[in-house]
Amino acid sequence: MNKTEPMLNLTLAAAQLAAGRAIERAQELGRNMCVAVVDTSGHPLVTLRMPGAPLPSQEYARKKAYTALAFGIPTHSWKQRLEPKPVTMTGLAQHPDVALFGGGEPITIEGQRVGAIGVSGGSEEEDGLCARAALEALEQA
């Protein structure tokens, strides 16, 4: 990106759409989950908690969104990347805002990272399905 180009931002409406679709997918799966959508700075734009979602899920959803934003990759990819690097894995896992398991996805617009979504409350696979459903909703909007 050249310095004269304006930085794209995730709108509140887009964050609400993404979070809403993730919750809809969780309902389809029969799971009570939490969703967090963060902006380009990692600040929460939308957080949703379904009644009955496990208490730690809200914080893990935020951490997954933060991790996806900070590194620009889906959180499910960390296991494979770090398996041969146990010292790096241990170091990253000790960071208070990092989550190294599935359910976090970066959000990009025109090739720019503009935010991220984190979903927690189900299995890693279920969390990932909900996060990807949110991304699909944004692509179709």
Side-chain angles (χ1 to χ4, degrees):
M1 173 174 84
N2 117 21
K3 293 185 182 198
T4 61
E5 292 179 28
M7 184 172 199
L8 297 175
N9 291 300
L10 187 63
T11 65
L12 179 58
Q16 290 171 323
L17 173 69
R21 180 60 188 118
I23 292 292
E24 287 173 5
R25 186 68 175 108
Q27 290 170 329
E28 293 166 5
L29 294 170
R31 303 296 293 206
N32 296 323
M33 297 193 184
C34 294
V35 177
V37 180
V38 299
D39 65 13
T40 56
S41 299
H43 297 291
L45 284 171
V46 175
T47 58
L48 297 175
R49 180 183 173 277
M50 296 172 71
L55 186 58
S57 297
Q58 191 164 7
E59 186 60 19
Y60 278 113
R62 186 197 61 78
K63 288 180 180 191
K64 289 177 185 186
Y66 173 89
T67 304
L69 173 72
F71 296 100
I73 59 173
T75 57
H76 70 81
S77 66
W78 282 106
K79 181 179 179 182
Q80 180 181 3
R81 287 173 177 258
L82 294 177
E83 252 178 352
K85 301 175 184 179
V87 173
T88 304
M89 185 182 327
T90 299
L92 282 172
Q94 290 178 4
H95 188 287
D97 289 323
V98 169
L100 302 175
F101 42 93
E105 295 280 344
I107 299 171
T108 58
I109 297 173
E110 297 177 17
Q112 287 185 39
R113 196 173 332 143
V114 297
I117 185 166
V119 181
S120 184
S123 67
E124 281 188 68
E125 182 181 343
E126 291 167 331
D127 294 353
L129 287 171
C130 294
R132 287 187 296 280
L135 295 181
E136 290 169 10
L138 290 174
E139 289 170 4
Q140 295 170 4

